[in-house]
Amino acid sequence: MNLITNGKGRAVPTDVPGWGKFRAYKSPFALIEEEPLRTRGCPAMKAARPGEAKVTRSLKDAIQRSGLRDGMTVSFHHHLRNGDAVLPMVLETISEMGIRNLTLAPSSLTDAHDCVVNFIKKGVVTKISTSGLRGELGAAISRGELDVPVIIRSHGGRARAIEEGSLPIDVAFIAAPACDEKGNLTGCMGKSACGSIGYAKVDARYASHVIAVTDDPVPFPLAPKVSISQNEIDQIVIADHIGDPAKIATGAARITRNPVDLKIAKNAFDLIAASGLIDQGFSFQVGVGGASLAVASHLREYMEDKGIRGSFGLGGIGGYMVELLEEGLFDVLYDVQSFDANVTSSLLENPRHMEIDASLYANPYTKGCMVNDLDVVCLAALDIDTDFNVNVLTGNDGVLRGASGGHCDTAAGAKLSVILAPSFRGGVPTIKEEVQTIVTPGETIDALVTERGICIHPRREDLLEAALKAGLPVKEIGRLKKEVEKITGRPETPEVDRDHIVALVEYRDGTLIDCVYKTRNT
Amino acid sequence: MGKILRTVLYIPGNSPGMIQHCPVFGADAVALDLEDAVSIREKDAARRLVTAFLDSLDFSRVYVSVRVNGAQTPYFKKDLEAVVPKGPDALRIPKCESTDDVKRAEEIISALEDEAGIPKGTVKIHAMIETARGLEKAYDIATSSKRLEALTLGGQDLLADLGIQKTPHGRELLYARSRVVTAARAAEKQAFDTVWTDINDINGLFEEARLAAELGFAGKAAIHPSQIPVIHEAYKPHPAEVARARRIMASAQKAESEGRGVFSVDGRMVDAPVIERARHLLRLSELYENSNRGDETS
Amino acid sequence: MSKNTPFKSRTAQCGTLESSDCLVTISESETSHIDYRGANAGIFRKRTEAIVKELLDESDLTSVAVSIQDNGALEVTIRARIETAIERFLQGR
């Protein structure tokens, strides 16, 4: 493969056998500014006669009728999280039918998808495009068990790729917690309810053939909420179970009691307050656990105290944000993925809790994705370098164990992007000389907040001034790195085989920002 | 009278996972514990671990004390020999019962400071009053050494020595508390209150911490990070008190510049002890305004 | 603590398997070797082996097998645990 050096100094290929041509990353908005227009890839328009039946209890029949052949692309959503049974069930059936060489293009892969390793071994799956890789599957890919590199895409990037036709989906399988016989479906109801199915909406619109898979068929017409309408659904398969409810909607995450996370959260909140962004009409996105969620609790107290009403909360919505909505602290929640069981009922019942699709959420090639209007986002990191480049994909051993998700999208769009991370984890420093894998470029990160200090990106002199004025524990990032290394020691970089690329990290604009290499010692 | 220490958090000396986060818990002081928190089999391991951290960890603005094993144990001398050369802020010495107990420790510490080349008097002593005998000798103990900075009440052991139980109302320790504070203050030293052991009873902790503050304890020991903000809240001065303190300081400065020795504020005469208390209150209130003031900037 | 001191016991240990700690085991062995395991075994191997060698040399210890199960310990912790394990080994505990 021919490699060139991109805008981050990383070697990336320009032409990948199995995928095609790629451009190298330049800077967060370079391509968008140079080429603000993209052609849209369009699926065919299909006519349906009145009274045509779409329902079957045979997944095999449905797949046959879809015309799925060797070499095609299938997609899934990951809204059922660790409780998903649809992807394993569908791939198993496809495998039994003798279909091979498929491109697997789910919105992401979770702990429920280790079975993909076997489908790779059998040759059922030979290419993958996903946001994340974890567990056994991540380890297998890191060992080089898939010949063609995986493409890692962010949520906004996947939507863009689908809409422009770079990722043409032949058959989309949409797990549908509640679905009527015409194909009107939603994730807000049903025994396997999962809340928003924002990622799936893009698949439904652009895939050539769409099969809904449900375990809770409801009488037509589905009401009051329809997330995907019948005019986008080709077939409906009724299965016994589409997932494990216990693993789909976990109990509401409680605020952490870990002192380190609480300190990080306090520091992060103080920084956000010092920035002056928390004011009437404020918009906010936060993660669903750990330090991130604890920030939300500080925010709540502050907003209640000062009588501030925010405009919207975005995400990744957990139960805590729903509480803030119900309290009147935000006008609206825009929900692309729901966590917690009470988020589902809020989405169903509260008109101010709105379901949005991945494209509206974060696709840069739209007339205004929501991340562009975000004031503040709190993000996590596996590690970060002294240029503030963030890795959320590979562990300290170089093995794939994370996801791109909405990380680079929100960081690019938000006025203030804050990384929350402990200064060291498991004895390993979080600040590295160079991160193994760059997912989010430092130019879109404004600050790193740890329990031992706040590091502000040099280009944000205004933020630095505000933080100093507020008496916050600001430290230069190189300084904090040295301080931590004094007690942890300085880790070696994991040994990887630079001649063997196992994954390509695509930035949200479609350019390649980095590569993941085969690990040696695992 | 030195640094304000509202909280002293006990950290088990054999738990690296806890020691490494000392600067993060938010306590004004920590007491790295080589005594009760460490089993006999692990005394050597804990000693070495604590010593290593004293050497390498940046404790930031946290006051670092080490609770060593008692002078009657075979570990006492080894603890001092290992820890003193690292220059911790203080040693917390259990079961002090006489001036001899303190003086013996003082001798060893001085010799070790000398050997290690650190300025004499660097390492202070916080003497634990944990027995009836110790309580009787509280004042003598407090005055026995310039190095001794504080008396601390060891409530549990004292109750055992007195042969009584802890009760919800806490009257059983009222005398001991008052005695320790009085003895300390008479010697111009500080006093620290004992731990509240029920981690889940936040209200009980708050009430007891308020009592400690009202009785004149400079601070209170804690056994869990979650207790820190509760104790700090109990020590928070009332805004009206702070405002009055400001008025007193302003009047004091004015009186000084006008060459007047005596003056009154809000109709009450102000003399030196009142000014001192006002000064302390203002320093204390600053801790609540600048709860996040960093020590370094880039 | 010289080579001529007879070894009174076959193994000694220090540390725990708790998070942020490590368990160090030193035992008599015909050939010296270091067995370093745990999530950080890949990226801190050189560092850890260097520390072990340094501390064994300091105590004139040869012909010992050192095994370390690292559960995310800081370098300062690893060092302290090895030092105590060596001390215990030499004391015959």
Side-chain angles (χ1 to χ4, degrees):
Chain A
M1 270 189 269
N2 182 34
L3 299 173
I4 62 173
T5 308
N6 71 6
K8 279 279 143 194
R10 300 277 159 133
V12 294
T14 49
D15 199 335
V16 180
W19 291 114
K21 298 212 187 316
F22 287 94
R23 282 186 281 190
Y25 169 86
K26 265 205 257 189
S27 75
F29 294 101
L31 194 56
I32 289 169
E33 267 148 40
E34 283 167 34
E35 294 176 15
L37 297 179
R38 290 263 170 115
T39 334
R40 197 183 289 276
C42 276
M45 294 162 69
K46 279 189 214 171
R49 281 220 240 324
E52 259 182 40
K54 296 182 179 178
V55 179
T56 173
R57 283 192 181 267
S58 164
L59 182 55
K60 186 164 173 216
D61 282 354
I63 293 172
Q64 241 151 28
R65 227 172 285 143
S66 75
L68 184 66
R69 299 270 177 278
D70 286 3
M72 283 191 172
T73 300
V74 294
S75 81
F76 302 84
H77 66 72
H78 71 289
H79 289 290
L80 298 183
R81 287 178 284 285
N82 292 342
D84 178 44
V86 172
L87 183 151
M89 170 170 55
V90 169
L91 287 188
E92 185 59 45
T93 308
I94 286 175
S95 175
E96 282 166 12
M97 291 165 72
I99 300 173
R100 298 286 181 265
N101 285 324
L102 295 180
T103 298
L104 180 61
S107 50
S108 193
L109 291 161
T110 71
D111 291 337
H113 302 135
D114 279 347
C115 59
V116 175
V117 180
N118 294 327
F119 294 118
I120 291 174
K121 287 200 173 95
K122 287 193 195 144
V124 178
V125 171
T126 49
K127 286 195 308 192
I128 300 178
S129 162
T130 175
S131 166
L133 286 168
R134 301 167 204 282
E136 279 309 312
L137 180 57
I141 304 287
S142 282
R143 280 193 298 266
E145 288 178 21
L146 188 62
D147 289 338
V148 178
V150 172
I151 300 184
I152 300 290
R153 295 188 158 109
S154 70
H155 292 320
R158 179 179 187 266
R160 181 217 86 246
I162 291 172
E163 290 187 18
E164 73 192 7
S166 303
L167 184 62
I169 301 169
D170 295 292
V171 186
F173 294 89
I174 299 187
C179 186
D180 68 27
E181 72 207 36
K182 302 294 178 203
N184 299 298
L185 63 92
T186 182
C188 296
M189 290 160 22
K191 62 185 183 186
S192 311
C194 62
S196 171
I197 50 172
Y199 303 133
K201 290 169 102 163
V202 182
D203 296 34
R205 202 171 305 137
Y206 285 85
S208 299
H209 192 97
V210 182
I211 300 177
V213 184
T214 187
D215 59 1
D216 207 330
V218 300
F220 172 83
L222 172 69
K225 194 159 188 89
V226 176
S227 302
I228 296 176
S229 298
Q230 62 191 51
N231 61 339
E232 289 177 343
I233 304 295
D234 287 276
Q235 301 187 75
I236 299 137
V237 173
I238 299 178
D240 289 331
H241 300 285
I242 61 170
D244 179 354
K247 291 185 185 161
I248 296 170
T250 50
R254 269 178 285 138
I255 307 281
T256 180
R257 286 163 63 143
N258 178 325
V260 175
D261 283 342
L262 288 173
K263 184 79 203 269
I264 296 171
K266 181 81 179 51
N267 281 346
F269 171 74
D270 286 344
L271 180 67
I272 297 168
S275 75
L277 285 169
I278 310 178
D279 207 347
Q280 301 300 343
F282 164 74
S283 64
F284 182 63
Q285 175 158 352
V286 75
V288 284
S292 231
L293 191 60
V295 176
S297 84
H298 284 296
L299 190 67
R300 178 188 210 154
E301 214 180 289
Y302 185 88
M303 289 171 80
E304 280 168 1
D305 221 31
K306 308 259 186 227
I308 289 174
R309 190 177 166 99
S311 56
F312 69 92
L314 182 65
I317 299 290
Y320 202 80
M321 288 304 283
V322 168
E323 283 177 37
L324 301 195
L325 176 70
E326 286 171 359
E327 224 179 283
L329 291 177
F330 283 101
D331 283 337
V332 159
L333 289 183
Y334 291 118
D335 190 345
V336 71
Q337 177 179 14
S338 317
F339 299 92
D340 313 349
N342 60 335
V343 180
T344 300
S345 51
S346 172
L347 190 55
L348 182 63
E349 288 155 20
N350 191 340
R352 292 183 165 275
H353 187 159
M354 307 194 193
E355 188 175 12
I356 59 170
D357 66 52
S359 192
L360 170 56
Y361 172 47
N363 179 358
Y365 279 90
T366 62
K367 295 172 187 176
C369 58
M370 305 238 80
V371 299
N372 285 357
D373 297 321
L374 207 49
D375 285 325
V376 177
V377 63
C378 289
L379 295 166
L382 287 177
D383 46 13
I384 186 170
D385 66 26
T386 47
D387 288 325
F388 291 81
N389 297 309
V390 177
N391 164 35
V392 285
L393 203 53
T394 51
N396 286 315
D397 51 4
V399 174
L400 289 155
R401 60 176 81 250
S404 173
H407 205 280
C408 69
D409 298 311
T410 49
K415 289 204 185 83
L416 178 62
S417 344
V418 183
I419 302 290
L420 276 60
S423 63
F424 60 89
R425 243 188 221 114
V428 183
T430 304
I431 305 171
K432 309 278 207 303
E433 190 68 41
E434 270 193 355
V435 289
Q436 187 71 16
T437 315
I438 298 179
V439 174
T440 298
E443 303 90 290
T444 57
I445 300 293
D446 298 298
L448 165 68
V449 176
T450 72
E451 79 289 1
R452 271 161 231 251
I454 298 172
C455 308
I456 297 179
H457 196 292
R459 80 174 188 292
R460 289 300 306 262
E461 285 174 7
D462 57 320
L463 187 62
L464 176 60
E465 203 184 304
L468 291 174
K469 198 154 159 231
L472 301 188
V474 176
K475 268 185 194 151
E476 193 268 315
I477 195 168
R479 250 298 280 303
L480 180 56
K481 173 173 179 283
K482 282 204 184 74
E483 256 179 50
V484 174
E485 282 172 355
K486 193 157 163 248
I487 49 175
T488 59
R490 206 170 141 168
E492 301 148 38
T493 45
E495 273 191 47
V496 296
D497 182 355
R498 297 247 153 211
D499 290 326
H500 191 151
I501 296 174
V502 297
L504 306 163
V505 184
E506 197 189 74
Y507 191 59
R508 57 200 299 248
D509 59 6
T511 59
L512 292 185
I513 192 168
D514 208 346
C515 296
V516 180
Y517 300 93
K518 175 170 177 281
T519 48
R520 278 195 210 269
N521 297 324
T522 49
Chain B
M1 202 188 274
K3 236 181 142 194
I4 294 184
L5 306 174
R6 300 159 295 175
T7 41
V8 183
L9 177 63
Y10 277 106
I11 306 271
N14 204 32
S15 300
M18 290 289 285
I19 303 174
Q20 70 194 14
H21 289 310
C22 271
V24 171
F25 294 127
D28 290 339
V30 293
L32 301 170
D33 192 5
L34 298 176
E35 198 218 19
D36 282 353
V38 180
S39 70
I40 298 209
R41 290 172 55 83
E42 301 298 333
K43 293 289 185 193
D44 57 345
R47 184 182 309 120
R48 195 172 290 267
L49 190 67
V50 165
T51 306
F53 271 103
L54 286 173
D55 225 1
S56 331
L57 187 67
D58 175 10
F59 285 87
S60 187
R61 291 163 305 138
V62 177
Y63 184 99
V64 183
S65 69
V66 180
R67 204 253 294 260
V68 296
N69 289 282
Q72 317 308 328
T73 69
Y75 317 111
F76 180 69
K77 205 149 179 294
K78 286 200 196 134
D79 286 348
L80 266 53
E81 281 164 5
V83 165
V84 170
K86 303 301 173 189
D89 293 304
L91 299 185
R92 188 171 258 240
I93 302 184
K95 299 207 176 46
C96 289
E97 294 197 316
S98 68
T99 55
D100 280 346
D101 286 341
V102 179
K103 288 205 163 80
R104 204 177 324 121
E106 155 90 66
E107 261 171 43
I108 302 174
I109 297 172
S110 294
L112 291 168
E113 277 176 346
D114 196 38
E115 228 175 270
I118 43 183
K120 181 156 194 247
T122 301
V123 181
K124 307 282 186 268
I125 292 176
H126 291 184
M128 295 198 73
I129 305 295
E130 306 189 88
T131 62
R133 206 168 275 140
L135 195 62
E136 284 294 295
K137 294 279 190 208
Y139 177 72
D140 289 343
I141 290 169
T143 50
S144 62
S145 164
K146 274 220 287 267
R147 211 183 268 280
L148 190 146
E149 202 182 57
L151 294 181
T152 100
L153 176 64
Q156 274 155 292
D157 283 26
L158 180 59
L159 291 179
D161 196 33
L162 294 172
I164 54 181
Q165 302 276 45
K166 177 162 167 43
T167 65
H169 52 71
R171 270 196 313 251
E172 65 280 356
L173 281 181
L174 192 53
Y175 169 70
R177 284 193 158 110
S178 300
R179 178 74 184 266
V180 166
V181 171
T182 309
R185 297 291 297 174
E188 292 179 34
K189 310 287 168 97
Q190 291 190 327
F192 292 107
D193 191 24
T194 187
V195 298
W196 174 265
T197 53
D198 189 348
I199 297 175
N200 296 317
D201 184 358
I202 306 259
N203 290 327
L205 168 62
F206 182 78
E207 291 306 322
E208 191 172 273
R210 271 230 56 79
L211 173 67
E214 283 166 10
L215 287 177
F217 281 98
K220 187 176 176 61
I223 52 168
H224 191 272
S226 63
Q227 296 185 325
I228 306 297
V230 179
I231 298 172
H232 286 178
E233 188 59 33
Y235 269 84
K236 189 171 178 185
H238 199 277
E241 282 184 293
V242 177
R244 180 154 195 275
R246 288 214 175 94
R247 287 198 297 276
I248 290 172
M249 291 313 297
S251 298
Q253 275 162 8
K254 191 156 177 286
E256 167 117 17
S257 66
E258 290 168 7
R260 286 186 289 128
V262 195
F263 59 98
S264 72
V265 173
D266 299 341
R268 280 185 259 169
M269 200 183 80
V270 173
D271 56 2
V274 176
I275 297 174
E276 193 46 50
R277 170 123 184 93
R279 196 173 280 131
H280 172 83
L281 210 66
L282 289 177
R283 281 180 64 213
L284 181 60
S285 72
E286 271 170 31
L287 292 177
Y288 294 89
E289 287 164 39
N290 303 334
S291 59
N292 262 308
R293 187 164 290 283
D295 39 347
E296 277 110 350
T297 60
S298 66
Chain C
M1 281 197 235
S2 73
K3 271 182 264 213
N4 300 319
T5 310
F7 296 145
K8 291 181 194 153
S9 99
R10 305 216 60 210
T11 70
Q13 270 192 336
C14 180
T16 71
L17 290 173
E18 298 207 352
S19 176
S20 300
D21 204 348
C22 64
L23 183 62
V24 178
T25 310
I26 300 183
S27 35
E28 266 184 324
S29 162
E30 281 197 358
T31 53
S32 278
H33 59 268
I34 303 171
D35 181 22
Y36 177 49
R37 286 163 198 259
N40 296 338
I43 51 174
F44 273 128
R45 179 166 308 282
K46 290 195 189 115
R47 181 273 314 259
T48 309
E49 290 181 358
I51 293 175
V52 171
K53 287 197 179 96
E54 178 199 322
L55 295 173
L56 289 181
D57 279 349
E58 242 173 53
S59 304
D60 264 333
L61 269 180
T62 53
S63 302
V64 285
V66 179
S67 105
I68 302 176
Q69 178 66 36
D70 182 2
N71 253 5
L74 294 179
E75 182 171 310
V76 53
T77 302
I78 295 175
R79 207 175 252 278
R81 293 333 202 171
I82 297 172
E83 283 174 350
T84 306
I86 290 176
E87 206 178 78
R88 288 177 177 179
F89 183 81
L90 291 169
Q91 284 167 1
R93 275 170 55 198

